[in-house]
Amino acid sequence: MTLTVTEVPAPAKRLLAALIPAVMLATPLPLLAQPAPSSDDLPLAEIQTFAEVFERVKRAYVEDVDDTTLLRNAMRGMLSELDPHSAYLDEEEFQSLRESTQGEFGGIGIEVGLENGQLMVITPIDDTPASRAGLMSRDIILSIDGTPTDSMSLQEAVNLMRGDPGSPIDITVMRSGEDAPRELTLEREIIRSESVKHELLEPGYGYLRISQFQSRTAEQARQALTRMGRDQPLEGLILDLRNNPGGVLQSAVGVADLFLDEGLIVYTEGRLPDTQMSFSANPATPAAEVPLVVLINGGSASAAEIVAGALQDQRRGVIMGTDSFGKGSVQQVMPLGNGEGLKLTTALYFTPNGRSIQALGIEPDVEVVRGRLELAERRWEVRESDLENHLRSQGPSRERASAAERLSEDYQLSEALNLLKALRVVDRRR
Protein backbone atom coordinates (compact mmCIF):
# COMPACT_ATOMS: atom_id res chain seq x y z
CA MET A 1 0.00 0.00 0.00
CA THR A 2 1.58 3.27 -1.14
CA LEU A 3 0.69 6.92 -0.78
CA THR A 4 1.78 9.67 -3.15
CA VAL A 5 2.28 13.08 -1.55
CA THR A 6 4.12 14.89 -4.31
CA GLU A 7 1.36 17.51 -4.77
CA VAL A 8 0.67 18.11 -1.08
CA PRO A 9 1.99 21.42 0.37
CA ALA A 10 4.93 21.19 2.75
CA PRO A 11 2.99 21.79 6.05
CA ALA A 12 0.49 19.12 5.01
CA LYS A 13 3.39 16.77 4.28
CA ARG A 14 4.55 17.25 7.84
CA LEU A 15 1.06 16.45 9.11
CA LEU A 16 0.94 13.34 6.92
CA ALA A 17 4.34 12.31 8.19
CA ALA A 18 2.98 12.48 11.73
CA LEU A 19 -0.30 10.76 10.92
CA ILE A 20 0.80 7.90 8.70
CA PRO A 21 3.08 6.08 11.21
CA ALA A 22 0.32 6.22 13.81
CA VAL A 23 -2.39 4.87 11.53
CA MET A 24 -0.06 2.23 10.13
CA LEU A 25 0.56 0.97 13.66
CA ALA A 26 -3.21 0.71 14.10
CA THR A 27 -3.53 -1.49 10.99
CA PRO A 28 -3.10 -5.27 11.50
CA LEU A 29 0.11 -6.49 9.85
CA PRO A 30 -1.59 -9.26 7.82
CA LEU A 31 -3.73 -6.62 6.16
CA LEU A 32 -0.64 -4.69 5.06
CA ALA A 33 0.61 -7.75 3.27
CA GLN A 34 -2.59 -8.25 1.27
CA PRO A 35 -2.47 -6.77 -2.24
CA ALA A 36 -6.24 -6.39 -2.50
CA PRO A 37 -7.92 -3.67 -0.39
CA SER A 38 -10.09 -4.79 2.49
CA SER A 39 -12.91 -3.13 4.40
CA ASP A 40 -10.52 -2.93 7.37
CA ASP A 41 -7.85 -1.00 5.45
CA LEU A 42 -7.34 2.57 6.59
CA PRO A 43 -8.47 5.09 3.94
CA LEU A 44 -5.13 6.73 3.25
CA ALA A 45 -6.59 8.81 0.43
CA GLU A 46 -8.97 10.41 2.94
CA ILE A 47 -6.07 11.00 5.31
CA GLN A 48 -4.32 12.85 2.50
CA THR A 49 -7.50 14.89 1.91
CA PHE A 50 -7.66 15.70 5.62
CA ALA A 51 -4.09 16.98 5.48
CA GLU A 52 -4.97 19.15 2.46
CA VAL A 53 -8.00 20.61 4.25
CA PHE A 54 -5.85 21.26 7.31
CA GLU A 55 -3.31 23.10 5.18
CA ARG A 56 -5.90 25.25 3.39
CA VAL A 57 -7.52 26.29 6.66
CA LYS A 58 -4.11 27.17 8.09
CA ARG A 59 -3.20 29.21 5.03
CA ALA A 60 -6.46 30.88 3.95
CA TYR A 61 -8.87 31.14 6.89
CA VAL A 62 -9.75 34.72 7.75
CA GLU A 63 -8.15 34.42 11.20
CA ASP A 64 -5.04 32.61 12.31
CA VAL A 65 -5.86 29.31 14.06
CA ASP A 66 -3.23 27.29 15.88
CA ASP A 67 -2.65 23.61 15.11
CA THR A 68 -3.87 22.41 18.52
CA THR A 69 -7.24 24.09 18.10
CA LEU A 70 -7.71 22.69 14.61
CA LEU A 71 -6.88 19.14 15.67
CA ARG A 72 -9.09 19.33 18.75
CA ASN A 73 -11.98 20.63 16.64
CA ALA A 74 -11.40 17.77 14.21
CA MET A 75 -11.71 15.28 17.06
CA ARG A 76 -14.87 16.99 18.31
CA GLY A 77 -16.38 16.83 14.86
CA MET A 78 -15.47 13.16 14.45
CA LEU A 79 -17.34 12.27 17.64
CA SER A 80 -20.30 14.63 17.26
CA GLU A 81 -21.18 13.05 13.90
CA LEU A 82 -21.48 9.58 15.47
CA ASP A 83 -24.51 10.17 17.69
CA PRO A 84 -25.88 12.89 20.01
CA HIS A 85 -24.24 11.42 23.12
CA SER A 86 -20.62 10.83 22.06
CA ALA A 87 -18.26 13.75 22.68
CA TYR A 88 -14.65 14.82 23.13
CA LEU A 89 -14.27 16.38 26.58
CA ASP A 90 -11.62 18.92 27.44
CA GLU A 91 -10.32 19.04 31.01
CA GLU A 92 -13.08 21.36 32.22
CA GLU A 93 -15.82 19.36 30.51
CA PHE A 94 -14.42 16.09 31.85
CA GLN A 95 -14.45 17.45 35.40
CA SER A 96 -17.96 18.82 34.90
CA LEU A 97 -19.25 15.40 33.86
CA ARG A 98 -17.69 13.79 36.92
CA GLU A 99 -19.31 16.40 39.15
CA SER A 100 -22.77 15.81 37.68
CA THR A 101 -22.63 12.06 38.36
CA GLN A 102 -21.50 12.79 41.92
CA GLY A 103 -24.47 15.11 42.46
CA GLU A 104 -22.95 18.62 42.64
CA PHE A 105 -22.25 21.14 39.91
CA GLY A 106 -22.80 24.79 39.05
CA GLY A 107 -25.48 25.89 36.58
CA ILE A 108 -29.25 26.07 36.11
CA GLY A 109 -30.10 22.40 36.66
CA ILE A 110 -31.15 21.11 33.27
CA GLU A 111 -30.55 18.00 31.18
CA VAL A 112 -30.40 18.65 27.44
CA GLY A 113 -29.97 16.65 24.25
CA LEU A 114 -29.89 17.15 20.49
CA GLU A 115 -32.81 16.14 18.28
CA ASN A 116 -32.70 16.88 14.55
CA GLY A 117 -29.95 19.40 15.21
CA GLN A 118 -31.99 21.30 17.81
CA LEU A 119 -31.03 21.72 21.46
CA MET A 120 -33.89 20.17 23.40
CA VAL A 121 -34.73 19.98 27.08
CA ILE A 122 -34.83 16.38 28.26
CA THR A 123 -35.78 17.39 31.77
CA PRO A 124 -35.22 20.07 34.40
CA ILE A 125 -33.80 18.78 37.68
CA ASP A 126 -36.06 19.19 40.69
CA ASP A 127 -35.73 22.35 42.83
CA THR A 128 -33.34 24.18 40.49
CA PRO A 129 -33.57 27.48 38.59
CA ALA A 130 -34.67 25.58 35.47
CA SER A 131 -37.57 23.81 37.19
CA ARG A 132 -38.66 26.98 39.01
CA ALA A 133 -38.66 28.90 35.72
CA GLY A 134 -41.14 26.38 34.31
CA LEU A 135 -38.93 24.71 31.71
CA MET A 136 -40.46 21.49 30.47
CA SER A 137 -39.38 18.33 28.68
CA ARG A 138 -39.11 18.79 24.88
CA ASP A 139 -38.79 22.58 25.05
CA ILE A 140 -36.41 23.74 22.31
CA ILE A 141 -33.63 26.13 23.40
CA LEU A 142 -33.09 28.59 20.55
CA SER A 143 -30.34 30.71 22.09
CA ILE A 144 -28.18 31.01 25.21
CA ASP A 145 -27.09 34.51 26.21
CA GLY A 146 -27.84 35.67 22.68
CA THR A 147 -25.83 32.89 20.99
CA PRO A 148 -27.96 30.77 18.60
CA THR A 149 -27.83 27.04 19.34
CA ASP A 150 -28.59 25.75 15.83
CA SER A 151 -24.93 24.99 15.05
CA MET A 152 -23.84 24.35 18.63
CA SER A 153 -22.59 21.01 19.92
CA LEU A 154 -24.18 19.51 23.00
CA GLN A 155 -21.10 20.05 25.11
CA GLU A 156 -20.76 23.67 23.98
CA ALA A 157 -24.34 24.29 25.11
CA VAL A 158 -23.68 22.70 28.49
CA ASN A 159 -20.57 24.84 28.93
CA LEU A 160 -22.52 28.02 28.16
CA MET A 161 -25.24 27.17 30.66
CA ARG A 162 -22.83 26.44 33.49
CA GLY A 163 -21.11 29.26 35.31
CA ASP A 164 -20.49 31.03 38.61
CA PRO A 165 -23.30 30.95 41.19
CA GLY A 166 -25.35 34.14 41.13
CA SER A 167 -24.52 35.00 37.53
CA PRO A 168 -27.51 35.55 35.20
CA ILE A 169 -28.22 33.60 32.03
CA ASP A 170 -30.70 34.49 29.28
CA ILE A 171 -32.26 31.70 27.24
CA THR A 172 -34.84 31.73 24.48
CA VAL A 173 -37.19 28.75 24.49
CA MET A 174 -39.75 27.53 21.97
CA ARG A 175 -42.51 25.25 23.25
CA SER A 176 -44.66 23.05 21.07
CA GLY A 177 -48.13 24.51 20.54
CA GLU A 178 -47.05 28.11 21.21
CA ASP A 179 -46.77 30.79 18.54
CA ALA A 180 -43.86 32.78 19.94
CA PRO A 181 -40.67 31.88 21.83
CA ARG A 182 -40.25 32.62 25.53
CA GLU A 183 -37.47 34.86 26.82
CA LEU A 184 -36.27 33.69 30.24
CA THR A 185 -33.63 35.06 32.60
CA LEU A 186 -32.35 32.63 35.24
CA GLU A 187 -29.74 32.90 37.96
CA ARG A 188 -27.16 30.16 38.20
CA GLU A 189 -26.80 28.23 41.46
CA ILE A 190 -24.63 25.52 42.90
CA ILE A 191 -26.75 22.51 41.99
CA ARG A 192 -26.61 20.02 44.81
CA SER A 193 -28.95 17.45 43.47
CA GLU A 194 -30.45 15.14 46.05
CA SER A 195 -31.58 12.39 43.75
CA VAL A 196 -34.00 10.68 46.19
CA LYS A 197 -37.00 12.10 48.03
CA HIS A 198 -39.74 10.27 49.86
CA GLU A 199 -42.91 10.78 51.86
CA LEU A 200 -46.13 9.05 52.89
CA LEU A 201 -49.06 10.28 50.80
CA GLU A 202 -51.46 8.48 53.14
CA PRO A 203 -50.88 5.97 55.94
CA GLY A 204 -49.37 2.89 54.32
CA TYR A 205 -48.93 4.46 50.87
CA GLY A 206 -45.44 5.69 50.09
CA TYR A 207 -44.03 7.98 47.44
CA LEU A 208 -40.43 7.55 46.25
CA ARG A 209 -39.11 10.19 43.85
CA ILE A 210 -35.83 9.60 41.99
CA SER A 211 -34.79 12.64 39.96
CA GLN A 212 -31.60 11.14 38.49
CA PHE A 213 -29.29 8.17 39.03
CA GLN A 214 -26.12 9.14 40.87
CA SER A 215 -23.51 6.93 42.47
CA ARG A 216 -25.36 6.69 45.83
CA THR A 217 -28.96 6.69 44.57
CA ALA A 218 -29.66 2.99 45.17
CA GLU A 219 -28.49 3.16 48.80
CA GLN A 220 -30.46 6.36 49.40
CA ALA A 221 -33.58 4.69 47.96
CA ARG A 222 -33.08 1.69 50.25
CA GLN A 223 -32.87 3.99 53.27
CA ALA A 224 -36.02 5.83 52.16
CA LEU A 225 -37.96 2.56 51.93
CA THR A 226 -36.82 1.64 55.44
CA ARG A 227 -37.97 4.99 56.85
CA MET A 228 -41.38 4.84 55.17
CA GLY A 229 -42.04 1.33 56.46
CA ARG A 230 -40.81 1.97 59.99
CA ASP A 231 -44.17 2.69 61.67
CA GLN A 232 -46.27 0.30 59.60
CA PRO A 233 -45.64 -1.93 56.57
CA LEU A 234 -46.19 -0.26 53.22
CA GLU A 235 -49.43 -1.25 51.50
CA GLY A 236 -48.38 0.36 48.23
CA LEU A 237 -45.63 2.47 46.71
CA ILE A 238 -45.39 4.98 43.86
CA LEU A 239 -41.96 5.13 42.22
CA ASP A 240 -41.77 8.46 40.37
CA LEU A 241 -39.28 8.45 37.48
CA ARG A 242 -40.84 11.32 35.54
CA ASN A 243 -38.33 13.79 34.09
CA ASN A 244 -35.48 11.55 35.23
CA PRO A 245 -32.72 11.91 32.59
CA GLY A 246 -30.82 8.80 33.70
CA GLY A 247 -27.27 8.62 34.99
CA VAL A 248 -25.13 5.77 36.33
CA LEU A 249 -26.05 2.34 34.93
CA GLN A 250 -25.07 0.43 38.08
CA SER A 251 -27.24 2.75 40.16
CA ALA A 252 -30.28 1.94 38.00
CA VAL A 253 -29.59 -1.76 38.44
CA GLY A 254 -29.40 -1.24 42.21
CA VAL A 255 -32.76 0.54 42.31
CA ALA A 256 -34.49 -2.14 40.24
CA ASP A 257 -32.96 -4.76 42.55
CA LEU A 258 -34.81 -3.17 45.51
CA PHE A 259 -38.07 -4.49 44.04
CA LEU A 260 -36.94 -7.74 42.35
CA ASP A 261 -35.71 -10.84 44.14
CA GLU A 262 -34.81 -12.83 41.01
CA GLY A 263 -34.47 -12.62 37.26
CA LEU A 264 -32.68 -10.46 34.74
CA ILE A 265 -32.67 -6.67 35.12
CA VAL A 266 -30.81 -5.50 32.01
CA TYR A 267 -28.14 -6.62 29.59
CA THR A 268 -25.95 -4.70 27.18
CA GLU A 269 -24.46 -5.58 23.80
CA GLY A 270 -21.52 -3.89 22.11
CA ARG A 271 -18.57 -4.69 19.89
CA LEU A 272 -15.99 -5.20 22.63
CA PRO A 273 -16.13 -8.02 25.19
CA ASP A 274 -16.19 -5.64 28.17
CA THR A 275 -19.34 -3.93 26.81
CA GLN A 276 -21.34 -7.16 26.90
CA MET A 277 -22.72 -7.22 30.40
CA SER A 278 -25.67 -8.74 32.20
CA PHE A 279 -27.20 -7.77 35.56
CA SER A 280 -29.59 -9.90 37.61
CA ALA A 281 -31.51 -9.36 40.83
CA ASN A 282 -30.32 -10.58 44.23
CA PRO A 283 -32.63 -12.53 46.59
CA ALA A 284 -32.17 -10.04 49.46
CA THR A 285 -34.79 -7.46 48.48
CA PRO A 286 -36.43 -4.96 50.89
CA ALA A 287 -39.60 -4.33 48.86
CA ALA A 288 -40.23 -7.47 46.80
CA GLU A 289 -43.92 -7.75 47.81
CA VAL A 290 -45.03 -4.13 48.01
CA PRO A 291 -47.63 -3.26 45.32
CA LEU A 292 -45.90 -0.87 42.94
CA VAL A 293 -46.86 1.79 40.41
CA VAL A 294 -44.08 3.42 38.37
CA LEU A 295 -44.66 6.87 36.86
CA ILE A 296 -42.84 7.78 33.62
CA ASN A 297 -43.14 10.46 30.95
CA GLY A 298 -41.29 11.88 27.96
CA GLY A 299 -38.51 13.13 30.24
CA SER A 300 -37.75 9.65 31.61
CA ALA A 301 -34.59 8.53 29.82
CA SER A 302 -31.72 6.07 29.83
CA ALA A 303 -31.24 4.63 33.35
CA ALA A 304 -34.84 5.53 34.25
CA GLU A 305 -35.99 3.45 31.29
CA ILE A 306 -33.81 0.56 32.44
CA VAL A 307 -35.67 0.48 35.75
CA ALA A 308 -39.12 0.89 34.17
CA GLY A 309 -38.38 -1.71 31.49
CA ALA A 310 -37.11 -4.28 34.00
CA LEU A 311 -40.10 -3.88 36.31
CA GLN A 312 -42.49 -4.02 33.35
CA ASP A 313 -40.96 -7.15 31.82
CA GLN A 314 -40.81 -8.89 35.19
CA ARG A 315 -44.46 -7.95 35.83
CA ARG A 316 -43.37 -6.44 39.12
CA GLY A 317 -45.39 -3.24 38.88
CA VAL A 318 -47.75 -1.19 36.75
CA ILE A 319 -46.07 1.40 34.51
CA MET A 320 -48.24 4.52 34.30
CA GLY A 321 -47.95 7.85 32.49
CA THR A 322 -46.81 8.55 28.93
CA ASP A 323 -44.16 7.12 26.59
CA SER A 324 -40.58 7.59 27.81
CA PHE A 325 -37.78 9.37 25.94
CA GLY A 326 -36.18 6.38 24.21
CA LYS A 327 -32.45 6.60 24.99
CA GLY A 328 -31.29 3.01 24.93
CA SER A 329 -27.55 3.49 24.55
CA VAL A 330 -24.68 3.19 27.02
CA GLN A 331 -21.87 5.75 27.16
CA GLN A 332 -18.45 4.95 28.55
CA VAL A 333 -16.31 7.81 29.85
CA MET A 334 -12.66 7.20 29.03
CA PRO A 335 -9.90 9.35 30.55
CA LEU A 336 -7.14 10.39 28.15
CA GLY A 337 -3.47 10.84 28.97
CA ASN A 338 -3.64 14.64 28.68
CA GLY A 339 -6.22 15.03 31.47
CA GLU A 340 -9.10 15.25 29.05
CA GLY A 341 -11.70 12.60 28.29
CA LEU A 342 -13.80 10.80 25.74
CA LYS A 343 -17.50 10.02 26.14
CA LEU A 344 -18.27 7.28 23.65
CA THR A 345 -21.38 5.24 22.96
CA THR A 346 -20.15 1.66 23.30
CA ALA A 347 -23.28 -0.46 23.68
CA LEU A 348 -27.05 -0.70 23.56
CA TYR A 349 -29.01 -1.97 26.55
CA PHE A 350 -31.91 -4.39 26.43
CA THR A 351 -34.75 -5.11 28.84
CA PRO A 352 -35.14 -8.65 30.28
CA ASN A 353 -37.43 -9.64 27.38
CA GLY A 354 -34.86 -8.51 24.83
CA ARG A 355 -36.42 -5.15 23.95
CA SER A 356 -34.16 -2.38 22.71
CA ILE A 357 -35.89 0.91 23.47
CA GLN A 358 -33.45 3.05 21.48
CA ALA A 359 -35.57 5.75 19.78
CA LEU A 360 -38.72 3.86 20.86
CA GLY A 361 -39.08 4.34 24.60
CA ILE A 362 -41.09 2.44 27.20
CA GLU A 363 -44.81 2.36 26.57
CA PRO A 364 -46.80 2.56 29.83
CA ASP A 365 -49.28 -0.14 30.82
CA VAL A 366 -51.76 2.59 31.73
CA GLU A 367 -51.58 5.85 29.82
CA VAL A 368 -52.34 8.93 31.90
CA VAL A 369 -51.50 12.32 30.45
CA ARG A 370 -50.40 15.25 32.50
CA GLY A 371 -53.21 17.26 34.08
CA ARG A 372 -54.60 18.88 37.17
CA LEU A 373 -57.52 17.90 39.33
CA GLU A 374 -60.32 20.42 39.33
CA LEU A 375 -62.66 20.18 42.30
CA ALA A 376 -66.26 20.82 41.43
CA GLU A 377 -68.00 23.58 43.34
CA ARG A 378 -70.24 22.17 46.10
CA ARG A 379 -73.87 23.34 45.87
CA TRP A 380 -76.85 22.86 48.14
CA GLU A 381 -75.09 20.51 50.49
CA VAL A 382 -75.03 20.83 54.26
CA ARG A 383 -72.33 19.03 56.18
CA GLU A 384 -71.43 18.79 59.84
CA SER A 385 -68.79 21.46 59.43
CA ASP A 386 -71.50 23.93 58.30
CA LEU A 387 -73.54 23.60 61.49
CA GLU A 388 -73.23 26.25 64.15
CA ASN A 389 -71.19 25.26 67.23
CA HIS A 390 -69.98 22.03 65.60
CA LEU A 391 -67.14 20.22 67.33
CA ARG A 392 -63.77 21.09 65.89
CA SER A 393 -61.60 18.44 64.29
CA GLN A 394 -57.94 18.16 65.09
CA GLY A 395 -57.34 18.32 61.32
CA PRO A 396 -54.73 16.55 59.26
CA SER A 397 -51.08 16.86 60.04
CA ARG A 398 -48.95 19.33 58.12
CA GLU A 399 -47.40 16.44 56.18
CA ARG A 400 -50.82 15.05 55.23
CA ALA A 401 -52.02 18.49 54.18
CA SER A 402 -48.94 18.94 51.99
CA ALA A 403 -49.46 15.56 50.35
CA ALA A 404 -53.14 16.31 49.73
CA GLU A 405 -52.26 19.59 48.07
CA ARG A 406 -49.72 17.87 45.82
CA LEU A 407 -52.23 15.21 44.84
CA SER A 408 -54.73 17.88 43.85
CA GLU A 409 -52.12 19.50 41.59
CA ASP A 410 -50.71 16.32 40.04
CA TYR A 411 -53.29 14.27 38.17
CA GLN A 412 -50.88 11.45 37.27
CA LEU A 413 -49.80 11.07 40.89
CA SER A 414 -53.40 11.07 42.07
CA GLU A 415 -54.34 8.38 39.55
CA ALA A 416 -51.35 6.29 40.61
CA LEU A 417 -52.51 6.40 44.22
CA ASN A 418 -56.05 5.45 43.19
CA LEU A 419 -54.68 2.49 41.25
CA LEU A 420 -52.63 1.32 44.24
CA LYS A 421 -55.75 1.41 46.42
CA ALA A 422 -57.68 -0.56 43.82
CA LEU A 423 -54.93 -3.17 43.64
CA ARG A 424 -55.03 -3.44 47.41
CA VAL A 425 -58.79 -4.03 47.40
CA VAL A 426 -58.46 -6.73 44.74
CA ASP A 427 -55.67 -8.39 46.69
CA ARG A 428 -57.76 -8.46 49.88
CA ARG A 429 -60.72 -10.03 48.09
CA ARG A 430 -58.48 -12.79 46.82
Side-chain angles (χ1 to χ4, degrees):
M1 187 180 301
T2 60
L3 177 65
T4 302
V5 296
T6 55
E7 299 181 359
V8 179
K13 286 183 181 179
R14 292 195 294 272
L15 178 61
L16 280 171
L19 286 173
I20 290 175
V23 299
M24 296 293 273
L25 286 174
T27 305
L29 291 177
L31 290 176
L32 295 176
Q34 295 177 2
S38 151
S39 61
D40 292 329
D41 286 339
L42 289 167
L44 296 184
E46 280 71 20
I47 294 176
Q48 178 178 350
T49 302
F50 173 79
E52 292 182 48
V53 172
F54 185 92
E55 163 62 23
R56 296 189 184 213
V57 172
K58 284 283 296 179
R59 184 176 56 191
Y61 185 63
V62 65
E63 296 178 353
D64 182 48
V65 186
D66 63 86
D67 293 351
T68 300
T69 299
L70 285 177
L71 289 172
R72 180 171 279 110
N73 289 343
M75 290 185 285
R76 289 186 187 279
M78 176 172 58
L79 286 156
S80 66
E81 288 297 314
L82 295 175
D83 65 81
H85 309 292
S86 295
Y88 185 89
L89 309 173
D90 63 27
E91 194 168 355
E92 182 179 346
E93 293 163 345
F94 186 45
Q95 179 62 26
S96 175
L97 180 62
R98 294 178 60 185
E99 289 172 354
S100 66
T101 59
Q102 293 169 357
E104 180 175 322
F105 54 93
I108 63 173
I110 191 173
E111 180 79 12
V112 293
L114 289 177
E115 184 173 285
N116 299 323
Q118 294 181 307
L119 185 65
M120 184 182 65
V121 176
I122 295 178
T123 182
I125 299 173
D126 291 351
D127 298 325
T128 63
S131 64
R132 292 193 291 269
L135 286 172
M136 296 173 56
S137 175
R138 308 200 72 82
D139 283 348
I140 302 298
I141 300 178
L142 302 178
S143 69
I144 303 172
D145 281 336
T147 303
T149 62
D150 53 357
S151 60
M152 192 179 293
S153 73
L154 186 61
Q155 197 59 51
E156 287 172 337
V158 171
N159 291 342
L160 278 179
M161 287 187 289
R162 294 193 175 183
D164 295 332
S167 61
I169 176 174
D170 297 321
I171 60 174
T172 304
V173 175
M174 190 70 197
R175 181 167 297 170
S176 176
E178 296 186 353
D179 298 329
R182 300 181 177 208
E183 304 284 346
L184 301 174
T185 299
L186 293 75
E187 186 176 296
R188 295 181 178 92
E189 296 178 359
I190 290 294
I191 308 299
R192 294 183 179 89
S193 177
E194 292 294 333
S195 63
V196 177
K197 297 180 181 179
H198 71 279
E199 66 176 301
L200 289 175
L201 299 175
E202 293 184 7
Y205 291 94
Y207 173 77
L208 182 63
R209 164 68 180 164
I210 298 180
S211 59
Q212 62 184 121
F213 288 91
Q214 301 169 354
S215 56
R216 295 189 62 250
T217 297
E219 180 57 33
Q220 291 172 351
R222 179 185 293 272
Q223 294 171 0
L225 289 171
T226 299
R227 294 190 191 101
M228 286 189 289
R230 184 170 295 160
D231 294 332
Q232 69 177 89
L234 288 175
E235 298 183 17
L237 179 71
I238 297 171
L239 175 60
D240 190 352
L241 300 179
R242 292 174 298 177
N243 295 327
N244 182 319
V248 180
L249 171 64
Q250 288 78 2
S251 180
V253 171
V255 169
D257 195 17
L258 297 176
F259 306 100
L260 297 170
D261 54 12
E262 63 178 357
L264 188 63
I265 293 175
V266 67
Y267 66 94
T268 64
E269 290 185 355
R271 295 174 59 201
L272 299 178
D274 63 353
T275 63
Q276 299 177 16
M277 300 179 289
S278 178
F279 300 90
S280 297
N282 296 306
T285 302
E289 304 297 330
V290 178
L292 181 66
V293 172
V294 183
L295 286 174
I296 62 172
N297 65 3
S300 306
S302 191
E305 295 171 297
I306 288 177
V307 175
L311 297 176
Q312 187 177 54
D313 282 4
Q314 297 283 16
R315 299 181 182 274
R316 175 58 188 87
V318 178
I319 311 300
M320 176 181 281
T322 56
D323 289 357
S324 64
F325 185 77
K327 180 183 177 293
S329 59
V330 179
Q331 282 70 47
Q332 185 174 353
V333 180
M334 308 172 183
L336 301 176
N338 60 357
E340 299 178 345
L342 183 68
K343 185 174 72 167
L344 187 65
T345 299
T346 56
L348 296 176
Y349 71 75
F350 296 83
T351 68
N353 288 349
R355 292 185 293 161
S356 171
I357 64 169
Q358 175 61 27
L360 296 174
I362 296 292
E363 184 178 342
D365 302 312
V366 180
E367 184 178 14
V368 179
V369 299
R370 186 182 178 204
R372 178 187 175 96
L373 288 176
E374 295 291 344
L375 300 178
E377 183 178 354
R378 181 165 55 92
R379 297 173 181 267
W380 309 111
E381 295 179 4
V382 177
R383 304 182 63 186
E384 172 71 16
S385 58
D386 299 318
L387 300 178
E388 187 177 358
N389 296 327
H390 67 270
L391 296 176
R392 299 288 179 180
S393 169
Q394 296 299 316
S397 66
R398 180 175 301 178
E399 292 79 8
R400 289 282 303 280
S402 174
E405 181 179 356
R406 181 120 65 84
L407 287 168
S408 69
E409 295 177 349
D410 190 336
Y411 179 66
Q412 290 174 321
L413 181 61
S414 177
E415 286 298 289
L417 181 59
N418 289 337
L419 178 57
L420 274 179
K421 292 178 178 178
L423 292 174
R424 186 64 177 168
V425 170
V426 171
D427 184 59
R428 285 171 177 169
R429 289 182 176 178
R430 287 178 180 172

